[in-house]
Amino acid sequence: MALTTEQEYYFDQLEDLFAMPGFKLLVEEAKAQIYEYQAMSLEQPNWDAVNELRGRAKQLAEFTNLEEVTAIQKSQLEEGDDDADL
């Protein structure tokens, strides 16, 4: 199944973004922050603080995986998988 013009534009824009050197740096900084949050969570005085740091780390992990998730979504749409979430 071919992508719609809107979908092609969406994925082209994201692929352009992913190719930027600044995006690569941003992802590396986010990964470093994830490790810092994980280390900080070991020293927190209560469970709420631990969960807050875990939540932040999870959000950053989702961001760092954006390129791979986008590639999977595009592939699923091209194959006609209606379950591909945009």
Side-chain angles (χ1 to χ4, degrees):
M1 177 176 142
L3 298 174
T4 66
T5 304
E6 183 178 294
Q7 290 170 330
E8 282 183 37
Y9 178 78
Y10 173 81
F11 288 113
D12 287 346
Q13 292 298 308
L14 285 175
E15 288 169 359
D16 289 346
L17 174 65
F18 300 149
M20 299 285 234
F23 182 78
K24 303 292 185 196
L25 288 173
L26 185 58
V27 168
E28 291 305 314
E29 287 296 320
K31 287 178 181 179
Q33 190 65 49
I34 291 169
Y35 293 124
E36 187 172 326
Y37 285 155
Q38 290 171 335
M40 288 171 54
S41 70
L42 299 173
E43 302 171 0
Q44 294 306 304
N46 59 56
W47 190 244
D48 288 338
V50 170
N51 282 329
E52 180 180 340
L53 290 172
R54 283 183 175 179
R56 290 181 185 182
K58 182 180 180 215
Q59 289 173 330
L60 286 174
E62 289 173 1
F63 168 73
T64 62
N65 292 323
L66 182 61
E67 187 172 359
E68 291 82 12
V69 169
T70 299
I72 292 168
Q73 289 173 338
K74 182 179 180 183
S75 174
Q76 288 174 339
L77 286 170
E78 289 172 336
E79 293 173 3
D81 185 352
D82 293 334
D83 292 332
D85 295 325
L86 288 181

